[in-house]
Amino acid sequence: MTEKSLVKADFYTSIVLMAFGIAAVSLSRQMPAIPRDPYSAPGVLPTVLGIIIAGLGLVLFIRSLARTKGRIGVSGSSFKAFINDSATQRMIVTIILCISYVVLLGKLLFPFLTFLYIFLFIILFEYDRKITFKAQGKKLLIAAFVALCSSVLITAVFQYLFLVRLP
């Protein structure tokens, strides 16, 4: 990528990151809180992370404007090229997975939702469409194993070590 296209990519990425951070804060604020101790609520960490992501997106936005003195040169074709970039598509998939996780938190059992999130994340980023499904069976088993172990450990740590009531 050229310096000019990197600045445009920074501009688009900053908008996506700010929107994601704001959405994360908004959705995490809707999570249940414990009246006695609001700092142990499950929405505290997503709120903090959302603020950090939105803040860093704002820094990237300002930086991209400063580097071009406000003349980004945004056009339909440059936006289409940005959207078709594989890194952008991976970022969009990650954001969709994260938002889906936050939205479904409290609606599905935490261990199951965590398993599903980790499993889908691994499959979406490791599965190769050029290779047959049968040849990738080992990948699916490994993804299921990693997701199961992670889900059990994450649930146990939050419930028994941090004493957080999970949704």
Side-chain angles (χ1 to χ4, degrees):
M1 290 184 106
T2 65
E3 181 70 26
K4 186 177 179 180
S5 62
L6 282 175
V7 172
K8 285 182 186 179
D10 285 350
F11 178 77
Y12 292 129
T13 303
S14 69
I15 293 170
V16 170
L17 289 173
M18 287 187 296
F20 174 71
I22 291 167
V25 169
S26 173
L27 291 170
S28 64
R29 300 302 298 156
Q30 297 172 11
M31 295 174 73
I34 301 168
R36 294 183 319 259
D37 189 10
Y39 296 110
S40 66
V44 172
L45 180 63
T47 300
V48 171
L49 292 177
I51 290 169
I52 290 170
I53 291 170
L56 291 175
L58 180 62
V59 169
L60 189 61
F61 181 79
I62 292 168
R63 183 176 158 228
S64 67
L65 288 177
R67 290 175 84 188
T68 60
K69 298 180 178 82
R71 295 186 201 102
I72 297 287
V74 175
S75 65
S77 61
S78 66
F79 182 73
K80 187 176 179 180
F82 172 74
I83 293 296
N84 290 332
D85 184 45
S86 64
T88 303
Q89 290 175 350
R90 290 172 70 91
M91 181 180 66
I92 290 170
V93 168
T94 301
I95 290 170
I96 289 170
L97 279 172
C98 291
I99 289 174
S100 299
Y101 184 82
V102 171
V103 168
L104 292 173
L105 202 57
K107 293 175 179 63
L108 295 175
L109 289 174
F110 181 82
F112 175 71
L113 181 60
T114 303
F115 168 83
L116 192 62
Y117 172 79
I118 294 170
F119 180 75
L120 286 175
F121 201 94
I122 292 171
I123 293 303
L124 288 172
F125 289 109
E126 291 295 325
Y127 189 79
D128 189 356
R129 292 184 180 139
K130 297 173 186 166
I131 301 173
T132 64
F133 180 79
K134 187 178 180 181
Q136 297 186 69
K138 187 176 179 182
K139 268 186 201 174
L140 294 172
L141 289 173
I142 290 171
F145 179 74
V146 168
L148 180 65
C149 291
S150 299
S151 176
V152 168
L153 283 171
I154 290 168
T155 302
V157 165
F158 274 93
Q159 279 187 332
Y160 303 113
L161 187 63
F162 297 144
L163 302 174
V164 174
R165 289 189 303 172
L166 298 173

